[in-house]
Amino acid sequence: MTVEHATFTVERTYPASPSRVFAAFADPAQKARWFGPGDGAPNASLDFRVGGVESMGGDIEGGPSFRYDAVYQDIVEDQRIVYTYDMHLNGERISVSVATIELVAVGDTTRLVLTEQGVFLDGLDQPWMREKGTNDLMDKLGTTLD
């Protein structure tokens, strides 16, 4: 049994207002366009409020099944989202994380700063893999905002 702690930060500038970027996280229809594997999020639910829960699960094409469960801890409209979440692969918990998203207006654009503090369990997930996946998701978000 092993535990690895890691923190990483992902930054993007999007050609959209903070309210538009915020809505891409808060609105279930908008979030389904970019969050999750493939086209949309399979078996997903989103209750975007402090104390609300977000869940997603399914099978990765050609790979294992996964489960993502989050709880929203703090939300400041158009500015900040803080949530905790855990990930499961084939029924085994692989990580537990705290993620903070900060949105800052820069002229006609929005600077997004996402910081994740994770606990990666038993070698079933690696920090570099999570950071890559998060970068991929933020790129996907950018394509929906263009």
Side-chain angles (χ1 to χ4, degrees), residues 10 17 19 25 35 37 49 62-63 75 77 84-85 89 98 107 120 144:
V10 172
S17 67
S19 63
F25 286 89
F35 189 74
R49 62 181 174 83
I75 298 172
E77 189 170 348
T84 53
Y85 74 95
L89 215 50
V98 175
F120 300 88
T144 68

Side-chain angles (χ1 to χ4, degrees), residues 3 31 41 59 72 84 105:
V3 174
K31 192 161 188 182
D59 295 320
Y72 289 96
T84 53

Side-chain angles (χ1 to χ4, degrees), residues 18-97:
S19 63
R20 189 162 165 231
V21 177
F22 185 85
F25 286 89
D27 179 79
Q30 289 187 52
K31 192 161 188 182
R33 293 179 27 208
W34 65 270
F35 189 74
D39 295 325
N43 304 313
S45 66
L46 173 61
D47 179 11
F48 189 79
R49 62 181 174 83
V50 173
V53 174
E54 179 177 18
S55 299
M56 179 178 32
D59 295 320
I60 299 171
E61 187 175 329
S65 65
F66 73 96
R67 183 95 196 137
Y68 163 88
D69 293 299
V71 177
Y72 289 96
Q73 305 294 336
D74 183 64
I75 298 172
V76 178
E77 189 170 348
D78 301 340
Q79 296 178 37
R80 181 176 66 225
I81 304 166
V82 180
Y83 57 100
T84 53
Y85 74 95
D86 63 350
M87 292 287 300
H88 292 80
L89 215 50
N90 289 332
E92 290 187 69
R93 178 177 284 120
I94 64 171
S95 67
V96 178
S97 297

